[in-house]
Amino acid sequence: MNDQSLEKIQLLTDLRFGYFNSDYYNFLANEHKKISNFGLNDYLAISSDKKLRQLEADNSLFPNDCQLQPPNLLPEVEEVLSLIFERSVILVPDQVQVYSEIFKAFSHKTDAFIFNQYAQTKIQIAADVLRKDGRDVFCLPYNRFDILEEQLIKLKSTHKHVWYLTSSIYSTTGNVIHIDLLKDLLMRYDHLRVLIDDSHGLSWTGKNGQGFAWKLLSDFPNVIFTASLCKGFGAAGRVLIPNYQKMRDTISREILRCGSVGLLNTYTLNVIRIAAMIHLSPEIYVRQIELQNRIAYFNAQAEKLQIPLESHSNTPIGFVHAGKPGLCQELSSNMQCKGFYLSPITYPTLPINSSGLRVAISLYHSKATIKKMLLALKTEYEKSLKKRGLKLSDNLISSEI
């Protein structure tokens, strides 16, 4: 082992990362064997950090009645979060009602709303509420910015603003939004408003873990950035960052926090604060590098084994095509028998013949575990295809599967 490797190990030891000596949350309970969990969205394993586990052991933060936030705690936590994003942050519970309140506060009655077909579920629910209220709401195919531009031109004369509601990273396949095309539309159409959810991009990439979308869109005044803290922080909150002062002033904190949205409790706020301090330390970059190494290894091994991934994108979400739901469910079940849980994604989340297995790569998984999982997947895949008279190289999206 060279000096550089020893230095790196010493750095990791000094930072006392929880995930290097703990399989906390890494395995699913089973009567016969441990099942390695590839279904977690805790990509940087922050939920199992020692500091958070010590907090969890503090019984004073688990009162019988839900203890609401002390008057000064929420502003303190928001201030720490603001250091991460270098912009004022509003912290709210991660509830569907948050989006409804956002649109109520920011939109005009003549605004139109367009969401992409793979937008986060809470966005789609809020869009449905808007439709029932008589607003014009449209759904577009994912990443079809040519169609979005057509709608922007068509709706300009009849609608004050056109809102585009989207996720930055599709949670099922790991596909990423074409931000460059979105930026181009923002520069050319003043009536375009964008709400972008970066829940699956937060923490594992970007300065201070700012995420996938923030750096690229933070300078556009007509953008509202939001992200759940469940994945990157292991907490139940959601950050909301309007990009210009008028938007920030328009938000009624009383409505968002004291109305239908509710409050964050003391324990959640303390979890967010501890996780935020990790983001503001050198530790976040070591975690990011470690995860990127695992992602690259997963992609390379999957390609070597000819496992049909949706893409080899640099995200912690892999998607293995499996075609019809029957094959997908069979693969998921067989992989559990082999000691690995891969989330089956089938109709109606995806078209009937486009099912697949979602693979979430995280710091809970060593390269050895990833390789063992992929070898088992290749074996089980070939067995299931052989039963159907098919080969791994066949078109797995065809109706024949």
Side-chain angles (χ1 to χ4, degrees), residues 4 16 23 25 55 59 99 110 140 152 161 208 246 250 272 280 282 291 320 342 352-353 358 392:
Q4 187 176 5
R16 294 185 176 89
D23 58 9
Y25 287 147
L55 177 66
N59 292 328
Y99 287 111
T110 62
L140 294 186
L152 286 170
H161 303 124
N208 300 330
K246 184 178 179 181
T250 301
I272 295 171
L280 290 168
L291 181 61
V320 181
L342 309 180
I352 189 68
N353 291 333
R358 181 185 187 274
L392 196 62

Side-chain angles (χ1 to χ4, degrees), residues 23-232:
D23 58 9
Y24 188 58
Y25 287 147
N26 189 29
F27 295 102
L28 297 175
N30 185 281
E31 294 180 3
H32 307 291
K33 66 173 67 176
K34 287 183 176 181
I35 298 178
S36 186
N37 188 359
F38 281 85
L40 288 174
N41 295 325
D42 184 15
Y43 305 120
L44 293 185
I46 286 179
S47 291
S48 66
D49 184 85
K50 289 181 177 179
K51 295 179 284 295
L52 290 180
R53 295 181 69 181
Q54 290 168 358
L55 177 66
E56 187 176 312
D58 185 351
N59 292 328
S60 68
L61 294 173
F62 290 91
N64 293 328
D65 296 322
C66 184
Q67 180 181 344
L68 299 181
Q69 60 209 24
N72 295 326
L73 183 55
L74 180 60
E76 291 175 7
V77 176
E78 285 184 328
E79 184 176 351
V80 178
L81 289 170
S82 296
L83 294 175
I84 293 175
F85 293 97
E86 303 169 309
R87 189 79 57 84
S88 296
V89 169
I90 297 172
L91 178 61
V92 295
D94 188 17
Q95 299 176 4
V96 175
Q97 294 95 321
V98 169
Y99 287 111
S100 299
E101 298 296 345
I102 290 171
F103 300 139
K104 186 186 300 182
F106 293 149
S107 68
H108 189 270
K109 62 182 180 180
T110 62
D111 287 357
F113 296 84
I114 299 174
F115 66 95
N116 77 60
Q117 67 185 108
Y118 296 146
Q120 207 239 14
T121 302
K122 292 184 177 70
I123 291 178
Q124 298 197 34
I125 294 173
D128 190 52
V129 172
L130 290 168
R131 184 184 289 110
K132 291 177 180 178
D133 286 342
R135 304 293 191 94
D136 289 329
V137 179
F138 308 91
C139 178
L140 294 186
Y142 191 68
N143 269 337
R144 287 300 303 274
F145 289 105
D146 55 333
I147 302 178
L148 176 58
E149 183 168 15
E150 291 173 3
Q151 290 294 320
L152 286 170
I153 295 170
K154 178 181 178 181
L155 298 171
K156 183 174 183 179
S157 61
T158 55
H159 296 76
K160 184 172 183 179
H161 303 124
V162 176
W163 288 77
Y164 184 57
L165 318 176
T166 185
S167 299
S168 61
I169 297 174
Y170 180 33
S171 62
T172 296
T173 64
N175 286 338
V176 300
I177 191 173
H178 295 158
I179 284 192
D180 288 342
L181 298 179
L182 182 58
K183 287 171 62 177
D184 178 64
L185 293 179
L186 281 164
M187 288 187 288
R188 292 192 290 114
Y189 295 97
D190 292 338
H191 63 299
L192 173 60
R193 302 287 184 269
V194 172
L195 184 143
I196 186 163
D197 186 294
D198 200 29
S199 297
H200 286 276
L202 198 64
S203 302
W204 62 267
T205 188
K207 179 183 178 182
N208 300 330
Q210 290 172 348
F212 175 78
W214 177 250
K215 179 180 179 180
L216 298 171
L217 294 178
S218 60
D219 292 333
F220 288 91
N222 294 334
V223 173
I224 298 176
F225 174 92
T226 184
S228 168
L229 301 181
C230 294
K231 285 78 177 173

Side-chain angles (χ1 to χ4, degrees), residues 273-314:
R273 176 163 53 185
I274 292 173
M277 295 308 297
I278 294 174
H279 284 66
L280 290 168
S281 74
E283 180 176 335
I284 194 66
Y285 300 111
V286 179
R287 288 181 185 253
Q288 288 179 350
I289 291 170
E290 290 292 324
L291 181 61
Q292 290 296 332
N293 288 338
R294 286 160 171 77
I295 293 169
Y297 182 80
F298 168 78
N299 286 331
Q301 290 298 311
E303 184 175 15
K304 180 180 179 180
L305 295 170
Q306 296 183 317
I307 292 174
L309 296 182
E310 165 72 13
S311 69
H312 290 79
S313 60
N314 192 32

